[in-house]
Amino acid sequence: MIAGLANTDDVFETLLRRTITDFVIGGMDHGIPDEDGLIVRLRQYEQRARQEQLSSQTLQVISSARRLLGDRTEAGPAS
C-alpha cells in the first residue's frame, strides 16, 4: 500500500460529499436550474462511486441528495 493513499481518498470523498451537499441544499434555497439533469448526474455519480468502491457514507450522501430532489428510484446494485 502506498503511504498517504487512504488520506488522499478521504480528502477526495470529503470534498465530494461537501460539494454535493452544499450544491443541493443551497439550490433548494435558491432554486436549482435543470433539476432533472442534476438527478441524472447524481445517478451517474452513484454508479461510479459503487464501481470505485467509495465509502458507504459517500454513497449515502449521493442517495440522500437524489431523494431531496424528488428522485424516488431505487439505488443501483452494489458491486
Side-chain angles (χ1 to χ4, degrees):
M1 182 164 126
I2 300 172
L5 183 58
N7 284 341
T8 302
D9 290 345
D10 290 345
V11 170
F12 169 77
E13 286 194 53
T14 299
L15 289 172
L16 177 62
R17 290 190 301 263
R18 184 178 302 145
T19 300
I20 289 170
T21 300
D22 290 349
F23 186 78
V24 172
I25 298 299
M28 291 180 76
D29 292 339
H30 297 63
I32 298 174
D34 192 23
E35 191 171 295
D36 291 335
L38 179 56
I39 290 171
V40 169
R41 279 188 283 151
L42 286 169
R43 288 177 187 162
Q44 293 168 345
Y45 294 163
E46 185 173 15
Q47 181 181 10
R48 182 66 185 262
R50 289 179 186 284
Q51 289 172 347
E52 298 296 328
Q53 298 179 350
L54 298 185
S55 71
S56 60
Q57 185 178 6
T58 298
L59 289 168
Q60 180 60 45
V61 167
I62 296 168
S63 179
S64 294
R66 289 177 44 226
R67 281 194 309 274
L68 281 171
L69 294 172
D71 185 7
R72 302 291 181 229
T73 60
E74 291 294 316
S79 298

